[in-house]
Amino acid sequence: MGLDFSYNIAVAEELGNIRCGGVPMAIGVQTGMATPALTRFGSEELKKQFLVPTIVGDFVACLGISEAGAGSDVANIKTTAVRKGNEYVINGGKMWITSGSQADWMCLLANTSEGPPHQNKSLICLPMNLPGIHVAKKIDKLGMRSSDTAQIFFEDVRVPCKNLIGEEGNGFTYQMLQFQEERLWGVASALTLMETVIQETIDYTRQRKVFGRPVLHNQTVHFCLAELAAEVELLRSLLHRAVALYVEGNDVTKFASMAKLKMGRLTREVTDSCLQFWGGMGFTSEVFVSRCYRDSRLMSIGGGSDEIMLSIICKYMDILPIK
Ligand SMILES: Cc1cc2nc3c(=O)[nH]c(=O)nc-3n(C[C@H](O)[C@H](O)[C@H](O)COP(=O)(O)OP(=O)(O)OC[C@H]3O[C@@H](n4cnc5c(N)ncnc54)[C@H](O)[C@@H]3O)c2cc1C
């Protein structure tokens, strides 16, 4: 049960056609970020209760990993879920939670024991209507303004132990696996968007005349657009290779991290370079490129920053110094 991954990625590429970054992001959380671990490791009962209505679209899901004091350093989260009888009692808080103010449930990462940080965490399906859950605020942001991003606190929130995904203590590992899908999904959703920005820039610069000829006829402009289009195709090839390997059952953490790194950098390069060719129009709120310019700044931060992607790649290349 769950969405077929390659289908999910194909949908993500299509979603780039939606002219609003917040929509693909909300759908991405739903299909590729908050649900992969539940699909893979959750009990049948949990899947019926949370996964089915989420895929159907009756439930909004969110993913609760990051905290005010721990974003890049996931192992350092402080939220606890302490077992008392048949329930976990949850205390702490989550930060930057996409769809957090309207979600029906959260895929929550919490510390369920005192053990070593990679073995003391668990993923739990947390209904968001329980007493003790406080959505503190919707965060005002530079971009992705149509996506709601919330800070949430938990005060003695009681949830049945059967809401645990998979085995207690495996949450960190499950989340690292879940991140592979999140990152590949993110790459897929950015490709069509970049192509759209390039195409709209071609259309605009073809009709916009400066010094008596179309802006596009300047070699610096059409060469730049050609180069960007080539980079997008390279990224698409890496994505498709990683997805094919993943569907065959391989660990693609290295390729997913490489693709996510390149996606973050390339979306920023594409939107910045293209915006330049729109002149003053590019600086207005009337055109798609300016919105993409703001929205794309997130890509090098959310879902693991560029630096975290580089650290993972170095780890897989066996060149990361041991602490
Ligand atoms: C709009 C938005 C939506 C988000 N949605 C969600 C969500 O739904 N669920 C969720 O759990 N989280 C979500 N996040 C959180 C996101 O994943 C984190 O912001 C991200 O992981 C970075 O964590 P941080 O913000 O705490 O930055 P920090 O961890 O404080 O890092 C700050 C900067 O330090 C640098 N840095 C960090 N580590 C290293 C290193 N090892 N080497 C070199 N430099 C380093 C990087 O440049 C990094 O950007 C969202 C964030 C945003 C902005």
Side-chain angles (χ1 to χ4, degrees):
M1 196 192 295
L3 289 183
D4 170 67
F5 186 64
S6 48
Y7 171 75
N8 199 358
I9 288 294
V11 170
E13 284 196 53
E14 273 306 307
L15 280 174
N17 284 319
I18 296 179
R19 300 172 70 84
C20 167
V23 174
M25 198 153 87
I27 295 173
V29 171
Q30 195 89 349
T31 63
M33 301 176 200
T35 48
L38 175 59
T39 305
R40 218 158 145 187
F41 304 107
S43 66
E44 285 310 310
E45 190 185 341
L46 270 192
K47 288 186 203 175
K48 268 197 201 115
Q49 195 183 342
F50 293 98
L51 185 60
V52 172
T54 302
I55 292 173
V56 169
D58 290 339
F59 275 5
V60 172
C62 69
L63 176 66
I65 308 299
S66 307
E67 301 184 355
S72 304
D73 188 2
V74 174
N76 197 29
I77 60 160
K78 301 294 181 220
T79 297
T80 53
V82 177
R83 205 181 255 269
K84 291 212 170 121
N86 290 333
E87 292 178 322
Y88 285 114
V89 180
I90 299 167
N91 281 286
K94 294 290 168 180
M95 183 73 178
W96 310 115
I97 306 308
T98 301
S99 304
S101 75
Q102 54 192 302
D104 295 288
W105 70 279
M106 173 186 282
C107 175
L108 170 82
L109 185 71
N111 296 313
T112 41
S113 75
E114 302 265 318
H118 298 111
Q119 291 159 27
N120 73 340
K121 299 183 172 31
S122 301
L123 285 177
I124 297 168
C125 292
L126 180 68
M128 290 295 281
N129 58 358
L130 295 176
I133 299 182
H134 309 288
V135 178
K137 62 170 177 184
K138 272 169 102 169
I139 299 165
D140 189 19
K141 311 188 296 297
L142 166 72
M144 293 293 185
R145 295 176 65 84
S146 64
S147 164
D148 106 64
T149 312
Q151 181 172 19
I152 297 165
F153 292 107
F154 310 117
E155 210 183 322
D156 290 330
V157 179
R158 292 180 168 268
V159 63
C161 289
K162 66 181 171 54
N163 284 27
L164 172 75
I165 297 175
E167 285 180 32
E168 193 174 283
N170 278 350
F172 186 86
T173 306
Y174 294 161
Q175 184 50 39
M176 292 305 120
L177 293 169
Q178 189 158 249
F179 270 141
Q180 288 186 54
E181 293 204 18
E182 166 167 349
R183 288 165 187 162
L184 292 172
W185 200 99
V187 175
S189 70
L191 290 172
T192 311
L193 182 134
M194 286 191 273
E195 280 179 337
T196 305
V197 168
I198 293 170
Q199 188 55 52
E200 291 198 359
T201 304
I202 293 170
D203 297 342
Y204 178 76
T205 54
R206 183 171 269 138
Q207 58 82 32
R208 173 77 179 166
K209 290 202 171 63
V210 177
F211 297 111
R213 64 177 187 156
V215 171
L216 184 65
H217 286 191
N218 292 288
Q219 193 180 66
T220 184
V221 177
H222 56 252
F223 272 17
C224 174
L225 294 170
E227 184 119 25
L228 293 174
E231 300 275 351
V232 173
E233 281 311 321
L234 281 172
L235 184 58
R236 191 190 304 282
S237 298
L238 176 56
L239 172 73
H240 288 188
R241 182 176 174 204
V243 169
L245 286 168
Y246 186 74
V247 169
E248 282 170 14
N250 298 292
D251 173 5
V252 295
T253 306
K254 186 171 87 171
F255 286 149
S257 308
M258 287 175 166
K260 163 72 171 60
L261 171 73
K262 283 303 188 186
M263 180 275 281
R265 297 198 161 159
L266 189 58
T267 46
R268 290 162 63 193
E269 192 186 343
V270 166
T271 52
D272 189 28
S273 303
C274 286
L275 188 149
Q276 181 69 19
F277 302 142
W278 288 71
M281 276 311 292
F283 203 63
T284 69
S285 309
E286 289 174 34
V287 292
F288 185 53
V289 69
S290 69
R291 179 179 193 156
C292 292
Y293 175 79
R294 286 187 285 110
D295 287 354
S296 66
R297 193 61 189 82
L298 175 64
M299 308 307 181
S300 285
I301 299 171
S305 68
D306 286 0
E307 292 79 3
I308 295 304
M309 295 308 106
L310 285 165
S311 302
I312 296 171
I313 297 163
C314 287
K315 203 169 140 199
Y316 274 77
M317 292 171 69
D318 204 16
I319 56 173
L320 192 68
I322 296 163
K323 283 180 199 158

